[in-house]
């Protein structure tokens, strides 16, 4: 199917369905930390160590707010700050093993939240979802690229202020 074959409004309908599922998924996850904290941990898991300024931009918060958030997560043992070997002026925020474990557990909770609902679908509906998996995975990759921006190499200078 080409893009011209897509019915008018199909993109909006798909977007609305995905937004509704994302909202419901967020409501089913543990509420032991803020969504911004959980999103920051997920970003670090996906992209690797980042500068606080990069994390603030990705998560849509101010640099002082991200600094405070990182401090709390650092005190909880979920992240740590490390110097950048290639640029001693740079400090990177890194996920600890406890932070990575938290991200894995949270993702698994999201998977388990949908399993009973998927079990209520018809065989044809499950097959349609299975057929859509490559497109959904690609959509997630595109969203990550858009959200995270170009992956920063540790030590590379970001476009924004430090």
């Amino acid at each position: 199917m080409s893009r011209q074959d897509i019915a008018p409004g199909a993109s909006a309908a798909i977007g609305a369905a995905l937004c509704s599922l994302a909202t419901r998924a967020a409501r089913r996850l543990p509420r032991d930390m803020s969504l911004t904290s959980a999103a920051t941990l997920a970003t670090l898991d996906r992209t690797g160590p980042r500068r606080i300024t990069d994390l603030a931009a990705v998560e849509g918060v101010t640099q002082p707010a991200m600094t405070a958030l990182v401090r709390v997560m650092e005190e909880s043992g979920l992240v740590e700050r490390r110097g950048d070997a290639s640029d001693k002026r740079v400090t990177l925020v890194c996920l600890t093993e406890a932070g990575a474990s938290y991200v894995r557990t949270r993702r698994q909770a999201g998977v388990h939240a949908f399993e009973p609902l998927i079990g209520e679908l018809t065989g044809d509906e499950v097959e349609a979802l299975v057929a859509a998996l490559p497109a959904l995975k690609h959509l997630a990759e595109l969203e990550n690229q858009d959200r995270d921006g170009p992956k920063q190499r540790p030590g590379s200078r970001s476009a924004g202020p430090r």
Side-chain angles (χ1 to χ4, degrees):
M1 173 186 293
S2 72
R3 293 198 84 169
Q4 291 78 19
D5 296 334
I6 298 174
S11 291
I14 292 167
L18 291 173
C19 184
S20 176
L21 282 173
T23 300
R24 291 170 191 265
R27 288 185 182 142
R28 291 175 174 269
L29 292 173
R31 302 210 179 190
D32 54 347
M33 72 170 50
S34 72
L35 289 177
T36 303
S37 296
T40 300
L41 292 175
T43 295
L44 290 169
D45 184 60
R46 193 173 54 254
T47 66
R50 302 284 289 253
R51 294 174 179 217
I52 286 179
T53 53
D54 293 339
L55 287 171
V58 167
E59 302 307 334
V61 299
T62 64
Q63 185 270 332
M66 182 56 69
T67 298
L69 188 99
V70 166
R71 186 177 324 110
V72 169
M73 291 191 301
E74 192 173 28
E75 290 168 359
S76 299
L78 300 171
V79 300
E80 63 185 9
R81 297 178 207 220
R82 294 186 192 153
D84 184 347
S86 64
D87 185 344
K88 301 295 184 203
R89 300 168 297 172
V90 174
T91 299
L92 299 173
V93 179
C94 306
L95 204 57
T96 63
E97 183 50 45
S101 176
Y102 177 85
V103 171
R104 286 190 301 270
T105 300
R106 190 171 174 89
R107 280 192 189 125
Q108 201 56 40
V111 169
H112 290 312
F114 280 100
E115 284 176 335
L117 299 174
I118 293 168
E120 294 182 30
L121 297 176
T122 67
D124 287 345
E125 289 170 326
V126 172
E127 285 182 29
L129 288 175
V130 169
L133 281 174
L136 291 171
K137 287 178 181 177
H138 186 222
L139 188 61
E141 290 168 5
L142 292 171
E143 196 280 333
N144 284 340
Q145 289 171 6
D146 181 58
R147 185 171 185 269
D148 297 340
K151 185 171 180 187
Q152 293 279 324
R153 285 177 293 122
S156 65
R157 294 183 66 93
S158 65
R162 289 164 141 246

